[in-house]
Amino acid sequence: MATGMTMSDATLLRRLSTLLVARSGCPRRMRLFSSYIVRGATFEPPDVSHLADSARISLAPGEVEDFGPKIRQVIDWFGQLQAVDLESVEPSVRADAEVSMYKREDTPETFENREAIIRVAPSYDDPYIKVPKVLSKE
Amino acid sequence: MALIFHRGIIANSQFFSRSSGVLFRRLRASRSCTSARGEGTANTLKEELIQVAPKRALEPNTHGFEAIIGIETHVQLFTLTKAFCSCPYVYGSRPNTTICPVCMGHPGTLPVLNSKVVEFAVKLGLALNCGLSMTSKFDRKHYFYPDLPKGYQISQFDIPIATKGFIDVDLPVEFGGGHRRFGITRVHMEEDAGKLLHSETGSYSQVDLNRAGVPLLEIVSEPDMRSGLEAAEYAAEIQRLVRFLGISNGNMQEGSLRCDVNVSVRPIGQSKFGTKVEIKNMNSFSAMSRAIDYEISRQVLLHSLGQSDQIFQETRLWEEGAQKTFTMRKKEGLADYRYFPEPDLPEVVLTKEFVDKLCQGLPELPEAKRRRYEKMDLAMQDVLFLANDNHVAEFFDASLENGADPKLAANWIMGDISAFLKNERLSITEIKLTPFELSELIASIKNGTISGKIGKEILFELLAKGGTVQSLIEEKDLVQASLIFLIVDPAAIEALVDKVLAANPKQLEQYRAGKTRLQGFFAGQVMKESKGKANPLVLNKILGVKLKGES
């Protein structure tokens, strides 16, 4: 299910680097690993074709070479966070400082404009959404 | 804690790194409430000792190999709305009707967690004797598939809501019985995907997204099962549990309970695990059992032929018709799900009050019921039957409240009442007979008011039409002039006894000379005189006194 979209450099860069960061692990306020990460300058160059494949983004051959160093740059920006001193910081489960205590009640609500959703499906074969034949999961 | 910088290593979807004890200490709740109730520790040791002996006897003949089986179960929750939006979900709805922009993954939408999901997850975690994570989070699990609208599934990766529990099961009596305890690795919350169907022509596929976003709980077991039987019983117990807790209807046919099994074999004594094979497409517990046993023998055979390298880490499908497993696809390396924390959802925080409240509200679980029924001296067969269905157990318990004898109540429920339910295709909650009336019926037979045979007739009436035992007895009395009602009046019986004794002086002399077994003869004579209506208990009492010569 490849989406062969073309998009601007910046968007591409953002998507690919998000992907790489996700793959490698979020930069966390992990005091335990900060010293380990500083040594991460020896991080391997990103396998851009593999990344693009995972994100279902098609790249022209020239773009593959182009994006390698650019993605590396983005990762290094994140790497700068490792210099922060975390001695006095409590480890946290996720990045958010606030915890939302909102509780959604289990009360059903039917969405009114179902037709609008169906209308934007590229191919609809009532009552199903039609898709190309699928062989196996990724 | 999980995600550190891997140097270009593909993130193994099964990888957890255990790190800072500080973090985990903060996260862990104290042990579950069932152990606090005193059920746990004393009995568990004894049960673990019992486990060892029968286990060997039950393993299929695997020629010196043992099977290692682990099960991943997905339980669809009974909530009124989906996990992250307020769409209702009704099984069998017309396709693509219970949808909204959130569960369709449209841009600009945000998920909002259904609080019931957390409640159900905690209940299950407690019932499975797990430690709870007082703070946990959601993660995104990325893969592309038409039934997954967002391109990722919201799940929990490295901090699941519950971990390290266990479940106790009793194996069916007809297969040798025995207790088992199986470990639970983790329980986590996630959302379901939609349904993918293939068109008749096969040239395209069809997607129904009604089910996308429905909350699931995934239960991962420790690889503790050793045979198809044990695996099937584990799954059956999970089903019992989710039904008892009221969090799911646990129906394998409808898809609200799905089990994926992992099977490997290794020579007994070897510590290294063999190659793991995943089996899917089993629609019932018996199918699970047969599929696993087949797979075990397939792997053992390959080992014995020296072809253990022909066992690949793959997914195989169980074909019910052929009664075999077939390759679905070979696993090309491990899947790269690119997990990262779901930025659109806040932490899931549990408070001690919340957990304690749920703890206290837990119903009596199947395991506790079985142990309680065992103490009533019921046969194991009866115990397993009664504790299998929550409604049956409730009916049984209610009838005991009025003083009915457990064995008799069990017999009635398992016998005539069950037969009726089966014939009429009813559940025990739908019959007109009340537990109170069942206990009345048992009492009436016990004290001799009616015979067992009459009791069965009355039961049938009560099941079909309701009413009370008393009124039915009286009713029939009116209609058939005490045909049912036995003569209990002592004076009337005395009169009959006197008559019989007077008519049989020779036997009376023989009795008084020592032939005491002639009492039976006299009893028979009195019965004949009363046309079978004399109450046997009263009769024998009076007869005994009269025969001895006291008046």
Side-chain angles (χ1 to χ4, degrees):
Chain A
M1 230 176 81
T3 46
M5 299 189 290
T6 51
M7 48 176 79
S8 73
D9 268 13
T11 324
L12 253 177
L13 205 58
R14 204 174 44 233
R15 278 189 70 171
L16 286 173
S17 54
T18 314
L19 197 66
L20 185 61
V21 168
R23 270 245 260 122
S24 317
C26 284
R28 298 290 203 79
R29 297 178 287 165
M30 296 297 292
R31 63 179 123 166
L32 288 172
F33 295 103
S34 55
S35 52
Y36 172 71
I37 300 306
V38 164
R39 287 185 275 115
T42 53
F43 200 12
E44 273 166 29
D47 181 350
V48 181
S49 345
H50 184 93
L51 279 177
D53 189 45
S54 301
R56 298 292 193 273
I57 298 172
S58 46
L59 294 177
E63 289 176 312
V64 173
E65 274 118 46
D66 263 354
F67 280 114
K70 289 181 185 175
I71 293 171
R72 173 75 152 269
Q73 229 182 354
V74 174
I75 301 302
D76 288 343
W77 290 332
F78 282 107
Q80 289 176 23
L81 288 172
Q82 301 308 315
V84 177
D85 173 26
L86 299 171
E87 281 308 305
S88 54
V89 181
E90 273 293 299
S92 64
V93 171
R94 20 181 339 280
D96 241 325
E98 305 167 16
V99 176
S100 159
M101 294 311 286
Y102 173 70
K103 280 189 181 340
R104 174 167 71 82
E105 289 303 314
D106 191 29
T107 333
E109 275 170 31
T110 315
F111 182 69
E112 293 302 316
N113 202 355
R114 218 191 105 243
E115 296 72 33
I117 298 178
I118 304 294
R119 226 179 301 131
V120 296
S123 182
Y124 188 66
D125 174 26
D126 196 30
Y128 296 106
I129 297 170
K130 197 166 156 185
V131 298
K133 177 131 177 84
V134 178
L135 290 168
S136 64
K137 281 201 170 132
E138 175 196 31
Chain B
M1 249 256 291
L3 305 172
I4 57 174
F5 270 102
H6 295 277
R7 298 178 173 184
I9 299 167
I10 293 178
N12 183 332
S13 60
Q14 298 303 314
F15 178 74
F16 301 124
S17 96
R18 303 255 166 246
S19 72
S20 169
V22 172
L23 194 57
F24 270 171
R25 230 181 294 134
R26 200 177 71 124
L27 293 176
R28 287 307 202 79
S30 53
R31 263 298 158 182
S32 78
C33 47
T34 42
S35 50
R37 281 189 214 158
E39 298 279 315
T41 36
N43 292 334
T44 58
L45 195 60
K46 185 170 150 215
E47 272 156 16
E48 280 175 74
L49 292 172
I50 297 171
Q51 243 190 71
V52 179
K55 225 175 186 170
R56 294 278 164 256
L58 279 168
E59 272 160 24
N61 182 11
T62 46
H63 310 284
F65 286 87
E66 63 173 352
I68 311 289
I69 303 162
I71 301 181
E72 282 166 23
T73 311
H74 290 89
V75 179
Q76 215 172 58
L77 297 181
F78 238 172
T79 55
L80 297 171
T81 62
K82 293 186 178 182
F84 301 111
C85 64
S86 296
C87 286
Y89 173 69
V90 180
Y91 179 76
S93 304
R94 193 162 186 278
N96 294 307
T97 47
T98 55
I99 54 174
C100 77
V102 179
C103 49
M104 292 292 281
H106 280 205
T109 57
L110 292 173
V112 182
L113 179 62
N114 179 348
S115 55
K116 258 272 174 328
V117 177
V118 181
E119 195 184 302
F120 284 5
V122 172
K123 275 188 176 168
L124 185 61
L126 292 171
L128 290 173
N129 308 285
C130 294
L132 295 171
S133 301
M134 298 308 271
T135 51
S136 62
K137 64 173 170 68
F138 287 101
D139 299 289
R140 292 186 182 180
K141 178 178 177 178
H142 299 80
Y143 63 94
F144 288 101
Y145 208 57
D147 64 3
L148 194 67
K150 296 190 289 290
Y152 57 85
Q153 177 195 32
I154 300 179
S155 175
Q156 291 187 297
F157 175 52
D158 53 330
I159 310 186
I161 194 162
T163 52
K164 293 214 178 75
F166 59 85
I167 190 170
D168 291 307
V169 314
D170 283 277
L171 298 175
V173 178
E174 56 269 27
F175 294 110
H179 298 297
R180 290 285 184 276
R181 170 166 291 185
F182 300 125
I184 303 284
T185 312
R186 51 184 276 154
V187 178
H188 70 254
M189 304 179 279
E190 60 182 26
E191 55 173 352
D192 208 348
K195 273 206 192 109
L196 187 66
L197 302 123
H198 301 289
S199 68
E200 296 88 45
T201 57
S203 55
Y204 61 92
S205 297
Q206 297 159 316
V207 179
D208 168 17
L209 292 173
N210 276 349
R211 202 183 65 178
V214 169
L216 298 176
L217 287 179
E218 180 172 334
I219 308 169
V220 181
S221 79
E222 291 286 328
D224 287 347
M225 280 69 82
R226 295 285 172 268
S227 68
L229 175 71
E230 292 187 0
E233 199 49 43
Y234 166 86
E237 186 69 9
I238 296 278
Q239 182 189 63
R240 240 168 256 135
L241 205 60
V242 301
R243 287 177 177 177
F244 269 59
L245 291 170
I247 62 177
S248 169
N249 62 13
N251 198 321
M252 273 191 101
Q253 287 71 28
E254 266 179 34
S256 48
L257 185 81
R258 292 169 236 158
C259 290
D260 295 331
V261 180
N262 289 296
V263 182
S264 69
V265 301
R266 69 181 175 193
I268 293 177
Q270 181 182 300
S271 58
K272 183 161 167 273
F273 288 122
T275 312
K276 198 168 62 169
V277 175
E278 187 184 15
I279 309 176
K280 283 177 168 311
N281 198 35
M282 296 156 293
N283 290 329
S284 64
F285 301 135
S286 61
M288 265 179 80
S289 183
R290 278 175 278 124
I292 292 168
D293 286 336
Y294 171 83
E295 183 60 25
I296 292 172
S297 39
R298 183 188 79 93
Q299 291 186 17
V300 169
L301 180 65
L302 286 173
H303 269 276
S304 59
L305 292 175
Q307 291 171 15
S308 56
D309 57 341
Q310 292 299 303
I311 303 173
F312 302 108
Q313 187 173 344
E314 58 176 344
T315 304
R316 294 175 76 90
L317 292 177
W318 170 250
E319 290 285 329
E320 192 64 30
Q323 293 283 297
K324 289 185 175 180
T325 60
F326 290 94
T327 307
M328 180 169 136
R329 60 167 181 268
K330 289 197 181 44
K331 267 201 165 108
E332 301 109 10
L334 294 160
D336 179 4
Y337 292 116
R338 308 181 287 279
Y339 287 102
F340 68 82
E342 170 58 74
D344 296 336
L345 288 170
E347 279 175 29
V348 179
V349 177
L350 306 174
T351 60
K352 191 168 181 301
E353 297 77 42
F354 179 71
V355 174
D356 287 340
K357 187 152 158 245
L358 287 179
C359 213
Q360 277 146 30
L362 281 187
E364 188 187 31
L365 299 178
E367 171 64 14
K369 273 212 204 309
R370 288 192 294 262
R371 300 286 77 81
R372 182 163 62 86
Y373 291 166
E374 238 184 332
K375 289 204 183 81
M376 291 179 192
D377 272 331
L378 291 169
M380 205 54 201
Q381 192 96 348
D382 298 0
V383 168
L384 294 180
F385 182 93
L386 292 168
N388 183 50
D389 183 319
N390 200 16
H391 300 300
V392 171
E394 266 169 28
F395 193 96
F396 175 69
D397 285 335
S399 63
L400 296 187
E401 264 167 41
N402 201 37
D405 177 74
K407 281 209 202 30
L408 296 175
N411 286 342
W412 282 108
I413 292 174
M414 289 176 65
D416 293 274
I417 298 179
S418 272
F420 181 82
L421 293 176
K422 205 165 157 192
N423 281 338
E424 306 294 316
R425 291 184 217 277
L426 293 171
S427 85
I428 203 166
T429 47
E430 293 167 315
I431 55 174
K432 303 260 172 33
L433 173 73
T434 64
F436 178 79
E437 289 308 320
L438 178 63
S439 62
E440 285 288 291
L441 186 71
I442 294 172
S444 302
I445 298 174
K446 203 165 182 189
N447 68 26
T449 314
I450 51 174
S451 70
K453 186 157 163 254
I454 304 300
K456 282 199 180 209
E457 286 173 27
I458 295 186
L459 179 77
F460 191 77
E461 281 254 358
L462 291 167
L463 283 167
K465 297 184 202 145
T468 65
V469 174
Q470 275 306 112
S471 63
L472 276 173
I473 290 177
E474 282 159 22
E475 217 178 272
K476 300 225 176 208
D477 197 11
L478 287 169
V479 170
Q480 284 171 323
S482 60
L483 206 62
I484 296 173
F485 223 154
L486 296 180
I487 301 171
V488 295
D489 176 18
I493 294 187
E494 236 187 280
L496 287 168
V497 171
D498 287 335
K499 193 168 164 197
V500 164
L501 291 184
N504 298 283
K506 197 161 137 214
Q507 285 84 346
L508 184 56
E509 225 180 275
Q510 284 176 323
Y511 179 89
R512 291 201 173 134
K515 249 185 169 174
T516 49
R517 56 187 170 80
L518 278 174
Q519 176 161 359
F521 164 75
F522 287 112
Q525 291 299 309
V526 176
M527 273 303 206
K528 216 160 113 188
E529 277 296 320
S530 70
K531 296 190 181 47
K533 282 194 261 172
N535 179 310
L537 293 169
V538 182
L539 162 59
N540 275 308
K541 207 159 111 190
I542 294 175
L543 194 57
V545 167
K546 290 269 175 189
L547 284 172
K548 287 196 177 75
E550 302 140 30
S551 35

